[in-house]
């Protein structure tokens, strides 16, 4: 049986579960990569952040964009 979303033309890509499951694993990224992505995303005080803080900030921005 087809789901209501598929019948209506909606995609599972837009659901919160899909976004969480397919979010980048920033925790495994190098600091340089985290820093440059944070710069592109406009995260302030990124120079003072640890890898974990950068990963959390990027995840937060990613969730708000989706």
């Amino acid at each position: 049986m087809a789901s209501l979303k598929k019948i209506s033309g909606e995609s599972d890509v837009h659901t919160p579960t899909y976004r969480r499951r397919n979010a980048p694993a920033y925790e495994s990224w190098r600091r340089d990569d985290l820093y440059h992505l944070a710069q592109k995303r406009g995260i302030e005080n990124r120079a003072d952040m640890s890898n974990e803080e950068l990963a959390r900030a990027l995840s937060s921005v990613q969730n708000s964009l989706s």
Side-chain angles (χ1 to χ4, degrees), residues 17-51:
T17 303
Y18 179 87
R19 284 192 303 264
R20 268 193 310 272
R21 205 173 345 130
N22 296 309
Y26 294 123
E27 294 79 20
S28 63
W29 287 28
R30 294 178 324 142
R31 176 161 174 70
D32 290 346
D33 297 329
L34 290 169
Y35 181 86
H36 289 296
L37 185 56
Q39 186 177 26
K40 287 174 80 172
R41 298 279 193 253
I43 295 173
E44 295 182 17
N45 301 320
R46 61 190 169 271
D48 299 326
M49 292 183 182
S50 68
N51 285 10

Side-chain angles (χ1 to χ4, degrees), residues 3 10 16 30 49 56:
S3 72
E10 284 186 42
R30 294 178 324 142
M49 292 183 182
R56 262 191 312 241

Side-chain angles (χ1 to χ4, degrees), residues 5-6 8-15 18:
K5 285 184 181 185
K6 288 182 182 177
S8 66
E10 284 186 42
S11 168
D12 289 339
V13 173
H14 301 292
T15 63
Y18 179 87

